[in-house]
Amino acid sequence: MHIIVSEEIANVCPNFVGACVEAQVKNTRYNPGLWDEIHRLEEQFRQELTTETLKDLPSIAATRRVYRACGKDPSRYRPASEALIRRMLQGKELYQIDTLVDLINLASIAYGYSIGGFDASKFVGDTLTLGIGREGEPYEGIGRGMLNIAGLPVYRDAQGGVGTPTSDNERTKITIDTRHLVVLVNGYDGNRERVLENARFIQELCSKYACSDGGSVTVY
């Protein structure tokens, strides 16, 4: 995949850094080892964070600042990483979807970054461009119906939007049949080292839980 950061994003977040994880995978409905890791992180975060202090995590605070700079209210359209951690801190069970989605959620919770996960076989073209959503731009969020993405950072392929920090698109979503996975880590805080660390964590999770048939995992 070719990933382009548009000038409009560079203007509101000149320090943006990103990473991509691309993998040949085999998805499963549920993986108990992965969920053991998720539950351990839940316990750790419940001891360390509150629903108020999580907003101060650098990765989440930076994403919220970019939302405001793009014209979106981050408390109304929460970044998914923040929403996942808030749910966990409120004592609610995290959604269990499938192994690929679950491991991406774990990686997002662990580092607080906005992470998009996609079935790359559903992309139109070989290029994704990160821009800002426009008024009236059609976008169907996963499980959310039509979503107003005006003022949200958005990745687009040749057909249209595929991912925002609030919700990825139904058109390119991961399913149990996904074999070609692309995961994008978005560092609006400009911390290149930590973004790469997050990407390598995803690489490790894919190798442990989704590449039992010898599939490869690449970070770039």
Side-chain angles (χ1 to χ4, degrees), residues 46-124:
R46 284 171 183 161
Q47 294 176 20
E48 296 176 352
L49 292 172
T50 69
T51 54
E52 288 302 314
T53 61
L54 79 89
K55 296 177 185 177
D56 299 326
L57 293 176
S59 49
I60 289 177
T63 305
R64 290 174 65 88
R65 284 196 299 272
V66 167
Y67 269 42
R68 293 191 186 94
C70 292
K72 209 68 167 179
D73 180 357
S75 295
R76 184 177 178 189
Y77 293 84
R78 293 188 193 281
S81 55
E82 180 183 349
L84 286 168
I85 298 172
R86 281 179 62 86
R87 183 175 182 84
M88 180 184 67
L89 295 176
Q90 290 168 345
K92 300 175 182 177
E93 288 291 326
L94 293 180
Y95 301 109
Q96 191 273 310
I97 309 298
D98 57 51
T99 296
L100 291 176
V101 173
D102 296 343
L103 73 83
I104 291 168
N105 285 343
L106 170 59
S108 184
I109 291 168
Y111 287 82
Y113 285 118
S114 161
I115 298 178
F118 310 95
D119 185 327
S121 70
K122 299 175 181 176
F123 288 145
V124 177

Side-chain angles (χ1 to χ4, degrees), residues 5 13 33 37 51 61 92 102 117-118 124-125 134 137 142 153 184 198 201 206 214:
V5 179
C13 187
E37 291 199 43
T51 54
K92 300 175 182 177
D102 296 343
F118 310 95
V124 177
R134 298 181 288 266
E137 182 173 0
I142 297 174
L184 302 177
N198 197 172
F201 181 51
C206 284

